[in-house]
């Protein structure tokens, strides 16, 4: 892959926020072919380097009642070297959708000779392991709570059990396996450019097409546009310099080194992606006390990489967009200790004008979970490890 180098970086305390880097070539040829020597604007990430990162990476797919065909497509786009981790919150009653996902994954792994873990979000053993490790805040009624974020945290812990160094997330409702492949290549490229072990790569789509009369290649979704604007305002008011550097507040497709993943607090449900940025700014922006000294010393590095593939996923309607995506994202920004009054007022105005909030209403504070590092990993391992085999997609049942 050939991508633009980091041409512009903004600093917020020990956080290095890189401006968007575009992919120039999905495939940059043989290693002995001319690289970017002498070329200061682009970098050639060799295939071997990419492969090394893929082998150290778990790709976590969160799925809840998505079309099986889409799930299968997404799985087929993940490079062979990555460990697949699927956390499913799909229905089990009447039609056992989880069972269908598991069967599809098992068949796929059998024929492609690769490994995958698949677990249901409501698996009692997972809840037991979390409780014994001291993570009961994730539980409700004795089981892991619903929500994408909750599934992601489980996936992070499983990736750590599997001794991976990186975790990348990919939604299960993507129509293009080729786009999935590109996301993982971008994750690897980002990590290869990182100078800190505390690194994050967030994907920006070239286009997000809308199908109405024909296909219209939109640049940004409206929710991301709005969320980015307020996130940038939050940064601007803290640094004193206006910025528009953040273009990936809501990036569902993103990856982290596990060293970074385990020191961040996470928000519930769909507030999870914007909150990751907020947790980084709060923990390492230098305005509040540093959350962890090693990461503060190395710095936290954020890459935003723009893909060539457009992003086409299942459309879930405006109610989902406004109440499940816009509100939680803006609520997370609103309740950040870094958020000043002017930004707060703008957020409320935005939510009232969209009809998500009534006049004089305040967005509810999203539930926040402690960083995973505060849990007892050896206890989690003790409970999970003996049965880890049974979560392998290749296991009989
Ligand atoms: P959007 O694309 O950001 O609008 O959000 P989606 O509704 O497509 O959700 C992103 C991904 O998370 C999809 O693959 C969903 O199936 C999955 N997802 C949503 N809710 C849950 C949940 O409670 N648990 C798990 N494990 N996955 C979920
Ligand atoms: Co989606």
């Amino acid at each position: 892959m050939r991508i633009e180098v980091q041409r512009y970086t903004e600093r917020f305390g020990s956080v290095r926020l890189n401006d968007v880097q575009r992919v120039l070539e999905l495939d940059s040829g043989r290693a002995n072919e001319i690289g970017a020597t002498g070329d200061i604007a682009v970098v050639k990430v060799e295939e071997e380097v990419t492969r090394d990162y893929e082998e150290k990476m778990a790709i976590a797919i969160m799925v809840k009642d998505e079309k099986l065909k889409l799930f299968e497509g997404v799985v087929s786009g993940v490079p062979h070297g990555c460990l697949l981790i699927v956390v499913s919150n799909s229905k089990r009653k009447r039609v056992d959708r989880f069972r269908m996902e598991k069967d599809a994954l098992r068949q796929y792994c059998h024929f492609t000779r690769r490994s995958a873990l698949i677990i249901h979000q409501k698996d009692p053993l997972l809840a037991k392991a979390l409780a014994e490790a001291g993570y009961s805040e994730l539980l409700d009624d004795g089981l892991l709570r619903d929500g994408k974020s909750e599934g992601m945290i489980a996936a992070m812990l499983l990736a750590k059990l599997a001794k991976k160094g990186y975790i990348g997330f990919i939604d299960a409702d993507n129509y293009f396996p080729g786009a999935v492949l590109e996301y993982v290549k971008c994750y690897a490229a980002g990590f290869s450019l990182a100078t800190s072990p505390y690194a994050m790569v967030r994907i920006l789509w070239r286009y997000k097409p809308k199908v109405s009369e024909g296909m219209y290649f939109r640049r940004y979704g409206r929710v991301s546009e709005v969320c980015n604007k307020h996130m940038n305002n939050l940064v601007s008011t803290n640094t004193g310099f206006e910025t528009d550097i953040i273009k990936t507040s809501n990036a569902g497709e993103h990856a982290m080194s596990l060293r970074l993943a385990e020191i961040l607090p996470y928000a519930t449900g769909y507030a999870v992606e914007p909150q990751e940025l907020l947790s980084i700014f709060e923990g390492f922006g230098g305005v509040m006390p540093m959350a962890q000294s090693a990461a503060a010393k190395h710095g936290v590095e954020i890459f935003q990489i723009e893909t060539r593939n457009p992003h086409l996923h299942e459309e879930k309607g405006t109610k989902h967009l406004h109440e499940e995506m816009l509100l939680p994202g803006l609520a997370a920004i609103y309740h950040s200790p870094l958020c000043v009054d002017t930004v707060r007022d703008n957020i409320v105005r935005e939510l009232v004008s969209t009809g998500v909030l009534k006049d004089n209403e305040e967005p509810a504070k999203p539930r926040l979970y402690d960083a995973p590092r505060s849990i007892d990993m050896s206890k989690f391992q003790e409970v999970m490890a003996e049965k880890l085999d049974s979560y392998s997609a290749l296991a009989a049942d």
Side-chain angles (χ1 to χ4, degrees), residues 91-97 99-100:
K91 284 193 198 75
R92 306 210 64 180
K93 296 215 178 79
R94 284 192 303 165
V95 183
D96 189 346
R97 297 196 62 88
R99 177 79 209 212
M100 287 155 59

Side-chain angles (χ1 to χ4, degrees), residues 62-64 66 87-89 121 146-148 151 171-173 270 313 316 320 325:
M62 296 304 113
V63 55
K64 186 180 178 200
E66 301 293 352
V87 182
S88 168
N89 198 13
Q121 194 149 340
D146 290 327
K148 184 185 175 194
D171 288 352
D173 63 340
Y270 289 111
H313 70 149
K316 287 163 185 158
H320 167 71
M325 304 293 303

Side-chain angles (χ1 to χ4, degrees), residues 131-179:
E132 291 196 12
Y135 228 159
S136 323
E137 52 179 327
L138 285 170
L139 309 183
D140 179 35
D141 249 356
L143 294 176
L144 180 53
R145 287 175 199 276
D146 290 327
K148 184 185 175 194
S149 151
E150 287 73 359
M152 285 168 59
I153 297 173
M156 290 174 203
L157 299 175
L158 290 171
K160 192 156 161 81
L161 270 196
K163 304 211 160 33
K164 294 290 160 180
Y166 300 88
I167 183 159
F169 297 97
I170 293 182
D171 288 352
D173 63 340
N174 196 307
Y175 277 93
F176 297 133

Side-chain angles (χ1 to χ4, degrees), residues 188-230:
F191 292 131
S192 78
L193 294 175
T195 52
S196 165
Y198 301 88
M200 173 180 271
V201 182
R202 301 172 80 92
I203 299 291
L204 174 66
W205 310 309
R206 187 84 187 93
Y207 298 108
K208 193 160 185 283
K210 282 259 171 273
V211 187
S212 46
E213 291 165 40
M215 180 100 78
Y216 178 67
F217 287 85
R218 276 191 68 148
R219 191 73 180 82
Y220 295 100
R222 208 190 93 78
V223 170
S224 359
E225 218 167 324
V226 171
C227 209
N228 287 335
K229 181 178 77 186
H230 296 286

Side-chain angles (χ1 to χ4, degrees), residues 83-369:
L83 170 69
L84 274 162
I85 299 179
V86 180
V87 182
S88 168
N89 198 13
S90 300
K91 284 193 198 75
R92 306 210 64 180
K93 296 215 178 79
R94 284 192 303 165
V95 183
D96 189 346
R97 297 196 62 88
F98 175 62
R99 177 79 209 212
M100 287 155 59
E101 291 156 3
K102 201 164 148 182
D103 286 347
L105 191 64
R106 180 183 304 148
Q107 189 182 36
Y108 172 78
C109 286
H110 175 76
F111 288 112
T112 56
R113 314 231 155 219
R114 61 184 295 173
S115 54
L117 298 174
I118 178 163
I119 190 165
H120 198 271
Q121 194 149 340
K122 302 291 178 185
D123 191 311
L125 192 74
L126 180 60
K128 182 170 176 241
L130 289 167
E132 291 196 12
Y135 228 159
S136 323
E137 52 179 327
L138 285 170
L139 309 183
D140 179 35
D141 249 356
L143 294 176
L144 180 53
R145 287 175 199 276
D146 290 327
K148 184 185 175 194
S149 151
E150 287 73 359
M152 285 168 59
I153 297 173
M156 290 174 203
L157 299 175
L158 290 171
K160 192 156 161 81
L161 270 196
K163 304 211 160 33
K164 294 290 160 180
Y166 300 88
I167 183 159
F169 297 97
I170 293 182
D171 288 352
D173 63 340
N174 196 307
Y175 277 93
F176 297 133
V180 171
L181 178 70
E182 187 183 8
Y183 301 148
V184 181
K185 302 286 172 199
C186 290
Y187 295 161
F191 292 131
S192 78
L193 294 175
T195 52
S196 165
Y198 301 88
M200 173 180 271
V201 182
R202 301 172 80 92
I203 299 291
L204 174 66
W205 310 309
R206 187 84 187 93
Y207 298 108
K208 193 160 185 283
K210 282 259 171 273
V211 187
S212 46
E213 291 165 40
M215 180 100 78
Y216 178 67
F217 287 85
R218 276 191 68 148
R219 191 73 180 82
Y220 295 100
R222 208 190 93 78
V223 170
S224 359
E225 218 167 324
V226 171
C227 209
N228 287 335
K229 181 178 77 186
H230 296 286
M231 188 70 87
N232 279 313
N233 286 346
L234 177 137
V235 176
S236 307
T237 46
N238 276 278
T239 59
F241 290 88
E242 200 166 80
T243 184
D244 61 353
I245 192 135
I246 299 163
K247 277 131 189 144
T248 55
S249 281
N250 284 308
E253 270 66 34
H254 67 288
M256 286 179 268
S257 61
L258 273 179
R259 283 177 71 176
L260 175 61
E262 63 192 12
I263 60 173
L264 299 181
Y266 293 93
T268 185
Y270 289 111
V272 62
E273 284 99 3
Q275 179 64 46
E276 285 167 1
L277 288 178
L278 296 165
S279 292
I280 293 174
F281 300 154
E282 289 162 18
F284 305 98
V287 176
M288 294 162 64
M290 290 290 175
Q292 203 244 22
S293 55
K297 190 169 132 265
H298 286 286
V300 176
E301 236 172 327
I302 302 173
F303 294 88
Q304 306 182 92
I305 302 185
E306 185 183 281
T307 57
R308 302 301 310 191
N309 277 284
H311 182 85
L312 194 66
H313 70 149
E314 275 289 272
E315 283 303 332
K316 287 163 185 158
T318 28
K319 188 168 153 51
H320 167 71
L321 273 183
H322 287 164
E323 286 169 30
E324 295 173 357
M325 304 293 303
L326 184 66
L327 178 60
L330 293 188
I333 302 176
Y334 181 96
H335 287 285
S336 166
L338 294 178
C339 193
V340 301
D341 285 345
T342 47
V343 180
R344 286 205 171 144
D345 293 345
N346 285 334
I347 289 177
V348 169
R349 220 168 291 136
E350 187 89 57
L351 289 168
V352 171
S353 76
T354 331
V356 182
L357 284 187
K358 295 196 193 72
D359 271 343
N360 303 322
E361 252 186 336
E362 202 190 28
K365 191 174 185 329
R367 186 194 302 275
L368 261 190
Y369 301 118

